[in-house]
């Protein structure tokens, strides 16, 4: 089980199949494989030995996929760098796992000076962007021309494949160590549940440095199908490329999907090629599901739940649970059931399994679970206990094993001794016709400990006041769960993966 095997297989069986599309650049798997082998050779010539870390700080592109496969082909370990980080955060991750080579594109080349000046040991920079190579860097394309291709190193199994740093919501970011076996074991159950679209074209919009985007790219490699890449999310750009490239499926987060639906030219584009849409990064998106299926009634919707430490998929809610019947039953609000090889339990603070329907913490066990956190034994011991990963997510499970995520445990609001799950309040706000997006947090309160506070973004041209929204919420949830205060903003702070940054809202 080594992640380059899927590329080996496609090169043998279907080498002239289209591998990547990025702007005007198109390459077959034969061409892609040649560049991967040359990149691996170049990295080895620059000193990369087996197990050495190589970083990439770049937007999505065909070269990003070459980096993924090229580092593995040469025997190295990936360190995909968060594109939203500041220079100190980037330097921390590079120093933490001794990343000796960093590939950058034109969007982040200007950060090199700051990285070089403050890193404990400055990495060797390779420029993989468009235009002239900046001073002090090696040219990506020049290296591929000058260096000979090498054979696949074939590292796999429990050997380290990737270090993905978490967002650092508390303290310093943690480097999640993922083995080849972990990644393989995460991808295969998903392929069983959702067989790849034959001849499919996957649009990469979610950032590839993020575990969700990376995992979906690996599944496409395992299927030997075509990758179409956009540097970053742009609503009109997504609509155009779906029509032009006949995209069959994509992975988006709810904030992206809502932006597409709100685009004034949405109905002018021919989106009939789009067969499947996977969404995630939200505990529940019931109202969004209704909007999508009203506009694209024939599309297959699926919802995935996971986390970096699970590489990432824990459970999937399949298209059959997005039918009208399933939506009436509430199953569309589930994040599905654990995949093959993944054991899932809901436990209390003492680690004892709770009755079905009771809220507790999700814990997970399986071959997809990380090796641990790089150089952080205490954090590893806290997260991995008796073979189980403690996720920090609050949820309940029904009698059929369907999971319903209600909140991050750290996002749960405790007001007057009552537990309030922000997702429940956000789902009610999402039903209001004037609300485009919302985020609910707890803020300090002298009497109740915490009070429910909602931050709301309205749809263009819509109007509603604070009291009207509070009255609306009281129709669906208990009074103590309703927002005690509401503020209106033009936008919510989002991570590069499209998740709402609630820590920034609390600050």
């Amino acid at each position: 089980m080594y992640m380059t095997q899927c590329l080996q297989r496609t090169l043998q069986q279907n080498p002239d199949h289209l591998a990547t599309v990025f702007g005007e650049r198109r390459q077959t798997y034969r061409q892609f494989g040649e560049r991967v082998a040359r990149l691996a050779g170049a990295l080895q010539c620059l000193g990369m030995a087996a197990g050495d870390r190589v970083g990439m700080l770049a937007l999505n592109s065909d070269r990003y996929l070459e980096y993924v496969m090229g580092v593995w082909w040469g025997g190295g370990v990936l360190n995909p760098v968060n594109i939203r980080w500041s220079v100190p955060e980037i330097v921390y991750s590079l120093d933490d796992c001794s990343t000796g080579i960093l590939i950058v594109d034109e969007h982040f080349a200007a950060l090199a000076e700051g990285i070089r000046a403050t890193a404990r040991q400055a990495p060797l920079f390779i420029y993989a962007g468009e235009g002239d190579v900046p001073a002090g860097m090696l040219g990506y394309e020049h290296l591929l021309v000058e260096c000979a291709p090498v054979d696949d190193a074939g590292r796999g199994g429990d050997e380290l494949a990737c270090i993905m740093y978490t967002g650092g919501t508390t303290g310093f970011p943690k480097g999640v160590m993922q083995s080849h076996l972990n990644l393989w074991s995460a991808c295969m159950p998903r392929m069983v549940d959702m067989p790849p679209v034959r001849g499919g074209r996957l649009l990469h919009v979610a950032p590839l440095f993020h575990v969700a985007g990376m995992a979906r790219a690996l599944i496409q490699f395992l299927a030997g199908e075509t990758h179409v890449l956009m540097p970053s999310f742009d609503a009109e750009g997504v609509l155009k490329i779906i029509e032009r490239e006949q995209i069959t499926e994509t992975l988006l987060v709810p904030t992206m999907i809502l932006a597409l639906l709100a685009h004034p030219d949405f109905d002018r584009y021919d989106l009939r090629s789009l067969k499947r849409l996977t969404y995630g990064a939200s505990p529940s998106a019931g109202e969004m599901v209704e909007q999508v299926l009203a506009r694209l009634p024939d599309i297959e919707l699926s919802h995935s739940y996971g986390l970096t430490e699970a590489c990432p998929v824990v459970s999937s809610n399949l298209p059959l649970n997005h039918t009208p019947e399933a939506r009436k039953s509430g199953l569309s609000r589930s994040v599905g059931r654990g995949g093959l090889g993944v054991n899932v339990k809901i436990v209390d603070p003492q680690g004892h399994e709770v009755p079905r329907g009771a809220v507790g913490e999700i814990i997970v066990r399986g071959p997809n679970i990380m090796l641990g956190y790089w150089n952080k034994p205490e954090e590893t011991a806290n997260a991995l206990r008796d073979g189980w990963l403690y996720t920090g997510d609050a949820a309940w499970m029904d009698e059929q094993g369907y999971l319903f995520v209600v909140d991050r445990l750290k996002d749960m609001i405790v007001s007057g001794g009552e537990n309030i799950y922000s997702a429940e309040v956000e789902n009610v706000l999402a039903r209001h016709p004037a609300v485009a997006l919302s985020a609910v947090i707890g803020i300090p309160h002298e009497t109740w400990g915490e009070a429910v506070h909602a931050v709301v973004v309205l749809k263009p041209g819509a109007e509603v006041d604070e009291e009207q929204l509070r009255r609306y919420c009281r129709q669906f949830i208990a009074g103590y769960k309703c927002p005690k205060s509401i503020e209106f903003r033009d936008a919510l702070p989002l991570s590069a993966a499209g998740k709402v940054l609630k820590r920034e809202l609390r600050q």
Side-chain angles (χ1 to χ4, degrees):
M1 294 182 181
Y2 58 102
M3 293 310 301
T4 51
Q5 191 277 335
C6 53
L7 179 54
Q8 295 264 26
R9 179 172 177 264
T10 305
L11 288 171
Q12 181 186 75
Q13 299 178 8
N14 202 10
D16 295 320
H17 188 61
L18 185 62
T20 64
V21 176
F22 181 67
E24 299 302 316
R25 292 201 299 259
R26 295 167 184 262
Q27 57 183 335
T28 66
Y29 269 96
R30 191 191 307 278
Q31 295 166 324
F32 180 83
E34 173 71 13
R35 289 173 62 85
V36 163
R38 286 185 176 275
L39 176 59
L43 294 172
Q44 289 178 356
C45 288
L46 294 173
M48 183 188 76
D52 283 354
R53 274 70 64 196
V54 178
M56 187 155 188
L57 177 60
L59 299 182
N60 292 355
S61 72
D62 47 1
R63 289 170 183 154
Y64 207 115
L65 295 181
E66 292 167 5
Y67 153 75
V68 172
M69 285 294 164
V71 171
W72 286 338
W73 195 278
V77 173
L78 304 176
N79 176 14
V81 181
N82 189 324
I83 60 176
R84 294 289 292 272
W85 276 353
S86 65
V87 167
E89 291 169 311
I90 293 168
V91 168
Y92 172 82
S93 70
L94 300 177
D95 284 346
D96 185 54
C97 67
S98 302
T99 299
I101 300 172
L102 180 62
I103 304 173
V104 298
D105 69 4
E106 69 271 26
H107 303 283
F108 302 98
L111 300 182
E113 183 178 348
I115 295 170
R116 189 180 283 118
T118 55
R120 188 170 59 239
Q121 183 172 347
L124 183 66
F125 285 90
I126 298 175
Y127 181 69
E130 306 301 325
D132 295 336
V133 178
M137 296 189 188
L138 298 171
Y140 183 94
E141 292 298 331
H142 177 77
L143 287 170
L144 265 59
V145 170
E146 293 297 315
C147 297
V150 296
D151 293 334
D152 189 353
R155 295 180 79 245
D158 287 327
E159 292 179 297
L160 187 61
C162 186
I163 300 176
M164 282 199 157
Y165 280 84
T166 59
T169 53
T170 57
F172 289 110
K174 300 186 290 290
V176 176
M177 297 188 291
Q178 303 169 335
S179 70
H180 287 263
L181 174 60
N182 290 155
L183 294 170
W184 181 279
S185 301
C187 292
M188 294 310 293
R190 176 66 177 171
M191 294 182 73
V192 171
D193 284 338
M194 294 281 288
V197 175
R198 283 292 140 207
R201 290 189 170 198
L202 172 71
L203 175 61
H204 292 289
V205 180
L208 288 169
F209 82 82
H210 190 272
V211 66
M214 176 73 75
R216 189 58 194 85
L218 296 182
I219 290 173
Q220 196 74 349
F221 275 123
L222 286 163
E225 298 294 358
T226 302
H227 305 257
V228 181
L229 301 108
M230 289 184 64
S232 58
F233 178 78
D234 168 70
E236 186 167 11
V238 169
L239 295 171
K240 286 181 177 178
I241 205 167
I242 290 173
E243 180 179 87
R244 184 178 73 244
E245 298 296 340
Q246 292 293 285
I247 300 300
T248 58
E249 55 184 315
T250 191
L251 164 69
L252 301 172
V253 298
T255 51
M256 295 176 181
I257 295 171
L258 291 170
L260 290 179
L261 295 173
H263 194 279
D265 293 331
F266 179 89
D267 293 319
R268 292 178 53 191
Y269 288 95
D270 184 354
L271 308 179
R272 287 175 295 178
S273 65
L274 193 63
K275 307 300 182 188
R276 184 181 294 168
L277 172 59
T278 300
Y279 63 98
S282 174
S284 180
E287 183 60 28
M288 182 207 74
V289 168
E290 297 298 331
Q291 293 182 44
V292 172
L293 292 175
R295 306 286 287 279
L296 300 170
D298 297 326
I299 201 168
E300 291 185 353
L301 276 179
S302 69
H303 187 185
S304 289
Y305 159 71
L307 61 165
T308 307
E309 290 85 344
C311 300
V313 178
V314 170
S315 64
S316 296
N317 202 22
L318 304 179
L320 60 89
N321 289 330
H322 291 79
T323 63
E325 296 76 16
R327 302 205 303 279
K328 288 178 183 177
S329 73
L331 275 182
S332 63
R333 295 181 183 271
S334 166
V335 296
R337 297 188 279 197
L340 289 173
V342 181
N343 293 333
V344 183
K345 290 199 298 188
I346 309 295
V347 300
D348 62 20
Q350 290 72 44
H352 302 132
E353 190 166 9
V354 300
R356 299 294 174 94
V359 173
E361 181 176 1
I362 301 174
I363 65 173
V364 187
R365 184 174 64 187
N368 60 311
I369 302 303
M370 67 170 182
L371 300 175
Y373 297 117
W374 180 270
N375 281 340
K376 286 185 166 47
E378 291 185 12
E379 288 89 339
T380 297
N382 184 55
L384 299 175
R385 298 177 236 163
D386 299 321
W388 291 86
L389 170 67
Y390 282 68
T391 66
D393 287 326
W396 57 276
M397 183 184 290
D398 73 7
E399 294 296 334
Q400 296 177 295
Y402 284 98
L403 286 170
F404 293 80
V405 177
V406 294
D407 221 337
R408 289 289 292 168
L409 289 175
K410 61 181 176 59
D411 288 340
M412 186 178 71
I413 302 164
V414 182
S415 183
E418 297 283 359
N419 293 342
I420 301 167
Y421 299 105
S422 59
E424 183 179 9
V425 187
E426 290 162 358
N427 284 334
V428 171
L429 288 169
R431 298 180 209 167
H432 193 283
V435 174
L437 291 171
S438 71
V440 171
I441 58 173
I443 58 175
H445 191 279
E446 290 183 2
T447 304
W448 306 111
E450 284 187 300
V452 180
H453 179 74
V455 183
V456 173
V457 177
L458 297 179
K459 294 177 181 176
E463 293 184 6
V464 67
D465 63 29
E466 189 173 343
E467 184 53 37
Q468 288 172 325
L469 275 184
R470 267 200 292 269
R471 285 202 304 269
Y472 181 81
C473 289
R474 290 192 197 103
Q475 299 176 59
F476 304 100
I477 52 177
Y480 72 89
K481 298 180 183 180
C482 294
K484 300 300 181 286
S485 56
I486 300 174
E487 65 175 294
F488 298 93
R489 295 193 184 185
D490 293 332
L492 295 177
L494 302 177
S495 72
K499 292 184 180 181
V500 176
L501 296 172
K502 290 191 175 182
R503 65 180 181 274
E504 292 191 10
L505 293 177
R506 292 190 191 95
Q507 291 168 1

